[in-house]
Amino acid sequence: MTIAAAAGIFLALADRVLLWSERRGWIYYRKTKGRTSVLAEEFSPAAQAVKRAMEQERVRKNVRPAEGPPLSVDLDKGVARIRHAEPGRQEPADPE
């Protein structure tokens, strides 16, 4: 048996084992669409940049300065106030 034939048999058997593992739900290999392999995500610079940007966005959303509600409504006076401040500029809590 030549090395090429042995390599072909090995690849065919490995393919069957990987397909069987995919049917069991253990891995994503050929048939299942929508997910990339874990190794591709770990070693891809683009995937790492996306992961880093998502983490920064998550942290930015969770860590916000203490501020009042963006909308206040006074039903007795019939007035609604919408706070619209520029970033870095503080407005008084109540103008009255």
Side-chain angles (χ1 to χ4, degrees):
M1 183 182 290
T2 66
I3 294 176
I9 291 171
F10 173 76
L11 289 175
L13 288 174
D15 181 57
R16 301 307 297 171
V17 169
L18 289 170
L19 285 172
W20 174 77
S21 299
E22 184 180 41
R23 279 194 309 272
R24 303 276 305 196
W26 294 343
I27 63 170
Y28 294 101
Y29 178 53
R30 268 192 348 201
K31 303 287 183 186
T32 306
K33 303 287 185 204
R35 289 193 54 128
T36 58
S37 72
V38 175
L39 288 176
E41 288 179 9
E42 284 300 316
F43 296 112
S44 168
Q48 290 174 355
V50 168
K51 189 184 297 185
R52 195 175 322 116
M54 289 175 65
E55 177 68 18
Q56 289 172 348
E57 183 68 15
R58 185 186 64 79
V59 168
R60 186 189 66 80
K61 285 182 179 179
N62 288 337
V63 180
R64 300 189 87 176
E67 53 188 41
L71 175 68
S72 64
V73 178
D74 186 352
L75 295 177
D76 294 330
K77 294 181 183 177
V79 176
R81 290 190 184 94
I82 300 175
R83 183 172 35 87
H84 179 69
E86 295 176 8
R89 185 177 142 210
Q90 294 289 331
E91 288 187 7
D94 194 350
E96 293 182 38

